[in-house]
Amino acid sequence: MTRFTQEQLAAARDRLVPDVVADGLHVLFCGINPGLMTAATGHHFARPGNRFWPVLHLSGFTPRLLKPSEQDELLSYGLGITNVVARATARADELSAEEYREGGRLLATKVGRLRPRWLAVVGVTAYRAAFDDRKARVGPQERTIGNTRVWVLPNPSGLNAHWTAAAMAEEYGRLRVAADDA
């Protein structure tokens, strides 16, 4: 993996990272917003400590462990990636409540256009803020966006230490089974 200087990472602040999407996906994974490493590389969940790619594999969504640079391969499995908020920051706590709300509105429009079977928001706090649902918990939600069902997954960031990779893989696996049954 390319090593970036602090200056290069700082220069990635506020950059936009293209979605990995197509119409009619099985699952559209939705991160909070791109981190600086993601913005610098142009690859989602690119920070080395992020557990998204290992958990995706452990849960059975992918037949092998993909690297962030292989993100476009997700489309062949009926999977995609977007974010609640498009702009890159060093930390999610740099985002305002209004950015989350506006991100939720834009995400709902995107989901309505793309029509995935499931929207999987990775981070319960981000879901609560984006959709003004203070009582949401990890798991399937009552909310739908058109015909798209919604599932909240644990945030795979390495900072989310109270969720182990194995526990996350179990929760992601529950979604995979639901998506396979749909």
Side-chain angles (χ1 to χ4, degrees):
M1 169 173 251
T2 304
R3 293 258 190 224
F4 292 93
T5 66
Q6 289 301 319
E7 293 78 22
Q8 289 170 316
L9 289 175
R13 182 176 297 279
D14 298 325
R15 273 191 201 155
L16 304 180
V17 177
D19 292 340
V20 177
V21 296
D23 289 341
L25 295 168
H26 299 292
V27 180
L28 177 59
F29 291 96
C30 180
I32 298 169
N33 76 307
L36 297 182
M37 182 69 72
T38 288
T41 64
H43 303 126
H44 293 271
F45 300 103
R47 181 170 281 290
N50 193 294
R51 299 171 290 178
F52 178 79
W53 298 102
V55 167
L56 211 60
H57 174 61
L58 288 170
S59 64
F61 272 111
T62 61
R64 65 179 181 84
L65 176 59
L66 298 176
K67 296 179 217 153
S69 62
E70 298 174 303
Q71 65 187 10
D72 290 339
E73 193 173 317
L74 288 176
L75 296 174
S76 69
Y77 306 123
L79 308 173
I81 304 176
T82 190
N83 287 289
V84 173
V85 176
R87 78 177 182 96
T89 61
R91 296 178 323 277
D93 65 5
E94 296 176 38
L95 302 173
S96 70
E98 181 51 39
E99 283 180 287
Y100 277 110
R101 283 190 295 276
E102 178 64 14
R105 285 190 288 274
L106 294 171
L107 179 59
T109 299
K110 185 181 299 182
V111 167
R113 187 180 76 250
L114 296 172
R115 299 176 321 277
R117 289 186 204 159
W118 287 92
L119 171 65
V121 180
V122 296
V124 69
T125 303
Y127 177 81
R128 289 173 181 163
F131 291 100
D132 195 30
D133 185 349
R134 303 288 176 238
K135 295 182 180 184
R137 300 282 180 255
V138 167
Q141 306 300 302
E142 288 187 26
R143 171 186 312 275
T144 59
I145 301 172
N147 290 329
T148 299
R149 303 214 34 220
V150 179
W151 196 295
V152 175
L153 293 168
N155 186 334
S157 166
L159 299 175
N160 188 7
H162 63 276
W163 278 88
T164 65
M168 274 192 269
E170 189 174 312
E171 187 61 32
Y172 281 56
R174 288 180 55 218
L175 169 59
R176 184 188 50 75
V177 169
D180 287 348
D181 290 344

